[in-house]
Each structure stands twice: as structure tokens, then as C-alpha cells.
Amino acid sequence: MSEFLTIGEPISLFASEDTDKSLKDAVNWHKFLAGAEVNVAVGVSRLGHSAQYITRLGEDPFGDFIRDQLNENNIGTDYIDSTPDYWTAFQLKDKVSKGDPSIFYFRKGSAAAHFDKNMLDKIDFSDVKFAHLSGIFPAISDQALDAFNHFVALLQAHHIRTTFDPNLRPQLWSSQEKMIQTINGLAAQAEIILPGINEGEILMGSRDPEKIADFYLQNGELTQTVVVKLGPEGAFVKNKAGDSYTVNGFKVDEVVDTVGAGDGFALGVVTALMEGKSMKDAVIRGNAVGAFAVQAPGDNDGYPTPEQLQAFLDKNL
């Protein structure tokens, strides 16, 4: 039993330690646990909430590494199975002195891409308060998309609150048209949608935060709130009642790596809402966790403990 659920594909990440060297030329690497949804689970657990992660792993060293990392981060593995027939995904990420890093995936045909949706029928939803959904898992295979839709149906049947982050990965889709159509359809089934401003431009053709919010509020009957991530500028919030506002971001001394910031934002929002805080306070927390994330080299190693988060908020609010 758990307060929080998410489903996704965990990845063994090899992050280069050679600044501004290409993936081809880098020779020094550090291994991390990665994957958008697992990043959120790590941060939720670190902030003191029980979390279960749903996936399929290969019976290989990468799968063993991921299980160990999940256990170290106190993330439940009750709904993870392993298979000898398929392999666990991994990726390479370069280190850059400015801008976003390049990423190369080794994930096609992975164990998670062959996820057995019957596993979902074993889930105990009795204590679940929130589920976080991402556009990445349904992109890795038609089988994963089918499982994702089954998971959403179960969440709705059990009246579980949901967040959805588009997390666009164009390289995983057969075409941009299919990506846009599928992601927007999935978003319409979530209570809270968390698009980035760049994602909004791709998915509905505008960089105007209010137009992005209006599109998703009108597109989904179940959608109650849209939070448009604005990067360092913070986030724009609009709800079904028409209330809207902008929550400013936090300045940091040095940006080390931007990967994982959006997932940090999501976990900040989710954990605050699970604690009964207002949406505005949840977005403030999301901005704060995102600020922690960009100051660390791994995808989730920079996420704060409750004490670190409170100290940051006391200093910066």
C-alpha cells in the first residue's frame, strides 16, 4: 500500500564527467538511476511520502542496479516484475557548460516496452492519494500505451487524483502527428496537466501560457487545473473556474544540469497537494524543487529532504 503511484521505464544513466565533450569523445562516466517517472517517485519518497513504482525490468545488471536504487530510495517494488527475454534500458548524457545536454537512448524493445498490463490488476489502491502520469511510457511501444490506458481506467475507477506531464520525446514516436494526437488525448484524462511552454507550442501551436491552459481546460472534461512551466520564470496557473495567476521561480547560483527539473516540479506539486496545501503553495514548492534539481548532475540526486526544502523556502520567500 502506498500514497503515491507512478508507471514508467526506469533507465541506467551514464552521465559524462567530461565537460563539453561529445558523447563520442567522453571517456569518464558516472552511473545514475534515471527516467522521468522514477525521478518523481524518488523525490516523493525523499519528502517523506510512501511511493510505489510500476514497471518491468530485464534480468540483467542494469535491472539489478535499478532495483537496488529503488530500495535505497525507499520506493516500493511490489508491482515490478523481471523477465529474461528483454533487456533493461540505459542512456548516455553529455555534460555541457551551458544549455541542455545531449541524450542518447538504448531502449527500443526493452523489458518495459513489453510490460504486461495484467500486473496492474494486482494493485492495491486503498491508500493511494495521487498518481503521476507521463507521456514517455506510452511512447515506448504500443503495448506500453495499452497498459497506460488500462492504468488510467483503473485510477478513474478508484477516484485517484492524477497529474500528467507531457514529457515530449519525439525520438520515441513514429511521427510528430501521432505524438501530438496521443499526448493530447492522454492529457484530457488527467485532473492536473503540467506542460512546459515549449511543449505547448508543439502540442497546440502557442507559447502564450494562458492559451495553452485554455486549450487543455477546454479539451479535457476531467481536467481541473493546468500549470504551464515557464522555466526560470516560474509557472502560470489556470483552473476550470477561470482563476489564473503566475508564481515566480527561484534564482540559483549555478545551473549544472537542467534534466530532472520538470520532474522535480511535478513531485513538488504532488507532495504539497497530498499534504493538503493550496495549488499556489504547491506550485511554489514545485518551483523550489526544480531549483534544487538544476544544481546537481544526476536526474534526481539533487532533490531535497523536507529539512532542506524548508530551509530553502525560509531563505527565499
Side-chain angles (χ1 to χ4, degrees), residues 95-273:
K95 184 177 182 180
V96 294
S97 55
K98 59 182 179 179
D100 296 332
S102 296
I103 295 174
F104 193 90
Y105 293 115
F106 296 84
R107 68 194 307 175
K108 187 177 178 62
S110 66
H114 292 87
F115 182 83
D116 180 1
K117 71 176 184 180
N118 292 321
M119 171 73 74
L120 300 170
D121 296 323
K122 303 175 183 178
I123 295 174
D124 181 353
F125 290 95
S126 57
D127 289 335
V128 178
K129 296 178 180 178
F130 245 100
H132 178 69
L133 307 169
S134 159
I136 298 178
F137 182 67
I140 63 176
S141 70
D142 289 341
Q143 189 169 333
L145 175 58
D146 184 44
F148 186 92
N149 284 324
H150 184 49
F151 185 47
V152 170
L154 290 171
L155 293 170
Q156 291 176 355
H158 288 86
H159 308 290
I160 306 299
R161 302 185 71 186
T162 55
T163 46
F164 179 80
D165 187 335
N167 259 323
L168 298 186
R169 299 293 188 273
Q171 62 269 48
L172 298 179
W173 294 94
S174 59
S175 70
Q176 179 156 306
E177 181 181 5
K178 182 177 181 180
M179 177 182 73
I180 292 171
Q181 181 180 12
T182 306
I183 291 294
N184 284 339
L186 297 175
Q189 301 178 67
E191 177 191 341
I192 301 164
I193 307 175
L194 308 171
I197 193 167
N198 294 331
E199 292 173 324
E201 184 174 21
I202 295 169
L203 291 169
M204 51 71 65
S206 176
R207 292 182 63 84
D208 183 320
E210 186 152 24
K211 288 182 179 179
I212 296 171
D214 287 342
F215 174 84
Y216 286 107
L217 288 168
Q218 294 163 12
N219 192 45
E221 291 184 9
L222 299 177
T223 304
Q224 298 300 312
T225 306
V226 179
V227 184
V228 183
K229 294 171 286 186
L230 308 176
E233 302 305 313
F236 173 81
V237 184
K238 190 169 185 178
N239 62 30
K240 206 82 165 181
D243 302 320
S244 64
Y245 50 90
T246 297
V247 179
N248 293 330
F250 295 96
K251 293 183 179 180
V252 299
D253 294 332
E254 180 184 11
V255 175
V256 175
D257 189 334
T258 58
V259 177
D263 304 325
F265 181 89
L267 76 90
V269 170
V270 168
T271 54
L273 293 176

Side-chain angles (χ1 to χ4, degrees), residues 254-317:
E254 180 184 11
V255 175
V256 175
D257 189 334
T258 58
V259 177
D263 304 325
F265 181 89
L267 76 90
V269 170
V270 168
T271 54
L273 293 176
M274 286 198 296
E275 294 165 17
K277 296 184 182 297
S278 69
M279 181 59 70
K280 185 172 183 179
D281 285 341
V283 175
I284 290 172
R285 181 182 290 189
N287 286 337
V289 178
F292 274 92
V294 300
Q295 298 179 78
D299 288 12
N300 55 58
D301 55 311
Y303 296 157
T305 63
E307 294 76 19
Q308 291 169 331
L309 176 62
Q310 190 58 55
F312 179 86
L313 293 173
D314 289 343
K315 179 180 178 181
N316 290 281
L317 286 181

Side-chain angles (χ1 to χ4, degrees), residues 32-35 38-40 42-43 46 69 73 259-260 296 298-304:
F32 295 95
L33 171 66
V38 79
N39 289 341
V40 176
V42 167
R46 199 164 294 167
Q69 289 293 300
N73 282 281
V259 177
D299 288 12
N300 55 58
D301 55 311
Y303 296 157

